[in-house]
Amino acid sequence: MLYKKLKNMRTIYRFVILFYLTLIPVVLHASIEVVGKLKHVKTGNSGDIYKGRIKIQNSGDYAQEVRVYQTDLLYNYEDYTLYDPPVTHNRSNANWIQYSPKTTIVNAKETQFIQYEVSIPKNDTISGTYWSVLMVEGVNPIDPNEEGKLNINTITRYAIQIVTEIGDKGLGELQFMEPTIINEGGKIFLAIDIINSGDHYISPEVSLELYDENGVSMKKIEAGRKGIFPTTSTRFRVDLEGIEGNKTYQAIIIAAGKDDDVFGIEYTLYF
């Protein structure tokens, strides 16, 4: 049974490192870094325009080219997918964003800024959370005069989320999928998969409360907090170590948002 929210409510993320093998004798090291938060959130209304900037620095001893480009990100509890606009999803704000520069040279020990501007459409039907990603990638030069040896070229890509909240419009709603027992390395976990079926980004803290057949509270286990964008889902894992097996428990799974929004289900658990 799904409990509705009690009040109206109000992340990639980490950098991705890819390794490319090339026949060059000198190892090239990435030195471009994004300084500050990797998630930029701004609340606005229909027709508003707001600006922001992304700080980048070159911590190395040589100048390096930097490339900036857009992607869209969708994920679920099993996987994630990056899209190149305009192949995108209906919660993307990629078309609202202008940014500059697209490419730049950052000298050694130098700091620069990527400027961006978000123009929210004049449309009274939009509501909730919209987001996309700006990728910042240091492009390492390859010397064509050097050949013959194996080299690992490390490319670091930072993904900065640009998130737009449309005022207080829209609803928050979570949907619980059927919990499943998983066994990994001899340890037993309860997998709790939650879909954000509402309009707003929600960052719930999930917990599991276990009761015996007589309704006596046995244990409360915290599963941590994760952010979930609308139309996406994520998995919370509850460690069942120390819980006696071959028994039936009444379980209550609670997902509590930061703004006092509380969702929950009751579930009969046997393992």
Side-chain angles (χ1 to χ4, degrees):
M1 177 173 62
L2 175 65
Y3 288 92
K4 301 299 183 181
K5 62 182 176 53
L6 302 184
K7 291 186 179 179
N8 287 335
M9 65 183 50
R10 278 301 140 275
T11 341
I12 75 184
Y13 294 149
R14 301 169 312 201
F15 55 84
V16 180
I17 300 179
L18 301 179
F19 296 93
Y20 293 93
L21 295 180
T22 54
L23 293 178
I24 311 175
V26 179
V27 177
L28 302 174
H29 297 285
S31 57
I32 294 298
E33 301 170 355
V34 170
V35 180
K37 295 181 179 179
L38 299 183
K39 182 178 179 182
H40 295 208
V41 184
K42 180 71 174 182
T43 299
N45 295 295
S46 173
D48 286 352
I49 297 175
Y50 68 89
K51 299 180 180 181
R53 62 183 189 174
I54 300 166
K55 184 178 180 180
I56 60 175
Q57 69 179 20
N58 182 352
S59 60
D61 297 323
Y62 302 95
Q64 187 169 359
E65 181 181 358
V66 175
R67 185 166 72 101
V68 184
Y69 57 97
Q70 283 184 301
T71 64
D72 270 314
L73 173 68
L74 272 181
Y75 61 90
N76 58 42
Y77 65 91
E78 293 181 320
D79 199 2
Y80 72 88
T81 304
L82 290 172
Y83 296 86
D84 292 327
V87 181
T88 184
H89 57 86
N90 60 9
R91 282 281 165 186
S92 170
N93 63 0
N95 291 334
W96 307 355
I97 301 172
Q98 299 293 325
Y99 62 96
S100 180
K102 304 294 192 297
T103 61
T104 185
I105 301 296
V106 185
N107 293 322
K109 311 303 181 184
E110 182 183 61
T111 295
Q112 291 189 20
F113 291 92
I114 308 299
Q115 309 286 344
Y116 66 86
E117 179 177 282
V118 180
S119 299
I120 303 174
K122 293 182 179 180
N123 185 339
D124 290 336
T125 65
I126 59 176
S127 63
T129 306
Y130 296 82
W131 79 97
S132 60
V133 174
L134 286 179
M135 303 292 291
V136 175
E137 177 181 310
V139 181
N140 286 314
I142 296 177
D143 186 348
N145 297 317
E146 300 289 351
E147 297 180 355
K149 294 184 180 180
L150 182 66
N151 170 64
I152 296 179
N153 182 17
T154 304
I155 297 177
T156 304
R157 294 171 177 163
Y158 287 85
I160 296 89
Q161 299 173 71
I162 308 298
V163 182
T164 305
E165 290 278 359
I166 308 300
D168 294 326
K169 296 178 64 176
L171 299 175
E173 191 68 76
L174 296 180
Q175 177 184 347
F176 293 79
M177 300 179 68
E178 187 77 6
T180 56
I181 301 292
I182 56 177
N183 189 324
E184 294 183 357
K187 298 191 68 173
I188 303 297
F189 297 90
L190 181 68
I192 303 170
D193 302 321
I194 300 178
I195 302 171
N196 185 342
S197 55
D199 300 320
H200 280 285
Y201 174 87
I202 306 174
S203 179
E205 186 171 17
V206 173
S207 61
L208 171 69
E209 298 180 16
L210 293 177
Y211 298 83
D212 65 16
E213 294 177 317
N214 298 317
V216 177
S217 177
M218 303 295 293
K219 193 169 187 178
K220 180 178 179 180
I221 309 172
E222 304 290 342
R225 184 185 297 276
K226 293 183 181 180
I228 318 174
F229 282 106
T231 74
T232 70
S233 63
T234 193
R235 168 166 289 180
F236 295 82
R237 290 156 47 104
V238 177
D239 189 348
L240 297 179
E241 184 177 4
I243 305 300
E244 184 178 352
N246 298 317
K247 292 183 64 175
T248 299
Y249 297 91
Q250 296 301 313
I252 298 179
I253 300 171
I254 300 294
K258 289 185 176 180
D259 295 322
D260 297 327
D261 302 282
V262 179
F263 305 81
I265 58 169
E266 295 180 358
Y267 180 71
T268 301
L269 176 65
Y270 177 84
F271 70 98

